Amino acid sequence: MHLHKYEKIWLVFGIIALAIFLGVVGVSAFSHDHTPAGGMHTIDPEKVNETAPFDKPGVTQIDDDTYQVAIVAMAFGYTAPELKVPAGKEIIFHVTSTDVVHSFTIDNTKVNMMVVPGQITTKSYTFDKPGKYLILCNEYCGTGHHMMFNEIEVY
C-alpha cells in the first residue's frame, strides 16, 4: 500500500497529537491524586453492620461545630433512625451500601452521592436554613426503588 507524502505527514501528526493528549490526561490524573468523588475508603459489604460508624447509624456530634451522619443504603431504604441536625454546623455524611449501587441525594441541596457496595462515600455539607429535607435514591436499584426515601430535619 502506497501512502502519499501528505497522508504520511497527517498520520504522524495525528498519532503525535493523540500521544500528547493521552500523556497530559494521564499525568494530570495521577500527579494530582484524583480519586472518585466521596473518597477511596473501602468496607466489607457483608460486615457493614459490625463496622463503625455503621454499627450505630445516625447522628453523632464530633465537636461543637461538626456532626457526623452514618447511613447504610440497602434495597428500598436507608438504615437511619430519626435524623436531626442543626443549621449552620458542618455535617459530614458517611454512606455505604450492602447490596447494589444506590444514590444519596438531599433535595434542594448540593448533596448528591453515588453509593457503591464496598466503598464509603463521604460528603460534607452545611445547611443554611432549618426545615425538613427529603433524601432520595436517584439510582434505579430494583422494583421498590420508588419507595426509597427518608427525611432529615434541620433545626
Side-chain angles (χ1 to χ4, degrees), residues 15 20 23 26 31 56-57 69 71 76 79 85 96 129 132 150:
I15 291 171
I20 290 171
S31 68
K56 295 177 186 161
V69 177
I71 297 175
F76 321 134
T79 60
V85 296
T96 192
K129 295 184 249 176
K132 291 188 177 186
N150 204 339

Side-chain angles (χ1 to χ4, degrees), residues 120-135:
I120 300 172
T121 307
T122 304
K123 173 83 173 167
S124 177
Y125 188 75
T126 302
F127 291 94
D128 295 327
K129 295 184 249 176
K132 291 188 177 186
Y133 293 82
L134 185 62
I135 300 171

Side-chain angles (χ1 to χ4, degrees), residues 53-113:
F54 303 106
D55 56 342
K56 295 177 186 161
V59 181
T60 307
Q61 186 171 1
I62 296 174
D63 58 37
D64 290 342
D65 294 324
T66 311
Y67 290 77
Q68 172 181 286
V69 177
I71 297 175
V72 178
M74 61 184 152
F76 321 134
Y78 297 102
T79 60
E82 195 172 285
L83 297 174
K84 289 185 178 182
V85 296
K89 305 289 183 181
E90 179 185 20
I91 312 299
I92 302 170
F93 292 96
H94 296 287
V95 188
T96 192
S97 171
T98 57
D99 48 20
V100 298
V101 175
H102 297 280
S103 88
F104 180 83
T105 304
I106 302 177
D107 201 24
N108 296 320
T109 68
K110 295 181 180 180
V111 177
N112 185 7
M113 301 183 285

Side-chain angles (χ1 to χ4, degrees), residues 19-33:
I20 290 171
F21 171 74
L22 292 175
V24 167
V25 169
V27 167
S28 67
F30 293 111
S31 68
H32 294 102
D33 287 333

